[in-house]
Amino acid sequence: MTNSVQFISALHSVYPQIARTVGETAYDADGNEVAYDKAAVQAYVDAHAYIAKRAAEYPPITDFADAYYWAQKGKSELMDAYVAKCDAIKLKYPK
């Protein structure tokens, strides 16, 4: 099930002419109602669901900064571990 924020974001991506929504009704910049295909918007949400799932599980950027620092000092173990964590998440939630 899609939450309303995901649906509204997808709605604006699929139908860029939509300026605002009130409930399930969409309007253009002139206030005219815009018809849209809910199935097409849901398909967009489904196709992009991996993005939010990955973002929620990626290691913190501070871990990357620390790993980068140590890699510059010749110690790549932390960077290798960071990349391995990211790779595992990409495999878990493929595009």
Side-chain angles (χ1 to χ4, degrees):
M1 174 119 189
T2 303
N3 73 41
S4 60
V5 173
Q6 288 174 318
F7 191 83
I8 297 301
S9 177
L11 183 62
H12 288 281
S13 294
V14 176
Y15 296 93
Q17 72 273 26
I18 292 176
R20 68 183 181 93
T21 58
V22 178
E24 292 188 4
T25 306
Y27 300 93
D28 65 15
D30 296 324
N32 300 310
E33 191 170 329
V34 177
Y36 62 90
D37 180 356
K38 285 184 182 182
V41 177
Q42 186 61 51
Y44 182 93
V45 170
D46 295 343
H48 292 82
Y50 74 94
I51 296 169
K53 291 176 181 177
R54 284 182 178 183
E57 292 193 32
Y58 277 140
I61 194 70
T62 52
D63 288 0
F64 173 80
D66 192 48
Y68 179 82
Y69 171 84
W70 287 109
Q72 296 303 303
K73 300 287 186 179
K75 297 182 178 184
S76 64
E77 296 84 8
L78 289 175
M79 185 61 79
D80 293 343
Y82 183 88
V83 171
K85 288 177 187 176
C86 291
D87 285 344
I89 292 163
K90 288 179 181 292
L91 286 173
K92 184 176 179 181
Y93 303 113
K95 287 185 179 180

